[in-house]
Amino acid sequence: MSIVLGYDESPGARAALATAIDVARRFGEQLVIVYGTAPPGAPGDELRTHEAALAQLGGEAISHALAAAEEAGVDAITQLVSAKPVDALLEQADAHDASVIVVGTWGESPLQGAILGSTPHKLLHRSRRPVLCVPIPD
């Protein structure tokens, strides 16, 4: 079993990282830090350029999260996945038999999430596994 974390260095993701590290440590589970690199849009050369840029940013982001997990003494790995964030998280949750998916919430109201389709909102409706949504501290 594992704890799967969606991480992109946003304030919500930073709060989720702290919670995911705590949960992984308490239950002795591996932390799988995931970043989905697929941008929204239609296929084409521009999309490939955007995905390459997102992969570079994502690689840096998850390496920072990995360092924090290792510093806390938590066994962790990173997964840079060529998929949209929700699909990447669901795929990795299945691949690593996750007991929970952890994501941060930030910058949008529940109504905005429902209308625009935020990652936490989509996960709550699509995941067959528990989803822990971590708000940013005040």
Side-chain angles (χ1 to χ4, degrees):
M1 306 266 315
S2 66
I3 307 297
V4 169
L5 168 69
Y7 191 77
D8 64 3
E9 290 199 304
S10 67
R14 289 187 190 116
L17 173 62
T19 298
I21 287 172
D22 185 48
V23 171
R25 185 178 355 177
R26 287 177 190 239
F27 293 98
E29 293 190 9
Q30 183 177 59
L31 178 60
V32 180
I33 304 162
V34 178
Y35 186 97
T37 64
D45 290 336
E46 187 175 306
L47 182 69
R48 284 188 286 280
T49 301
H50 287 206
E51 185 165 7
L54 286 172
Q56 181 178 354
L57 289 172
E60 292 172 13
I62 60 178
S63 71
H64 297 153
L66 178 63
E70 289 175 343
E71 185 177 311
V74 171
D75 176 31
I77 62 170
T78 61
Q79 297 291 324
L80 198 59
V81 181
S82 180
K84 292 182 181 177
V86 171
D87 296 325
L89 289 165
L90 293 172
E91 171 191 308
Q92 292 302 304
D94 286 343
H96 295 277
D97 193 24
S99 55
V100 65
I101 301 170
V102 181
V103 291
T105 61
W106 180 66
E108 59 189 30
S109 70
L111 181 59
Q112 284 176 307
I115 294 171
L116 301 175
S118 72
T119 296
H121 187 264
K122 287 178 184 176
L123 281 171
L124 288 170
H125 293 280
R126 291 184 50 199
S127 179
R128 292 175 284 130
R129 299 174 187 274
V131 176
L132 174 57
C133 297
V134 182
I136 58 171
D138 289 334

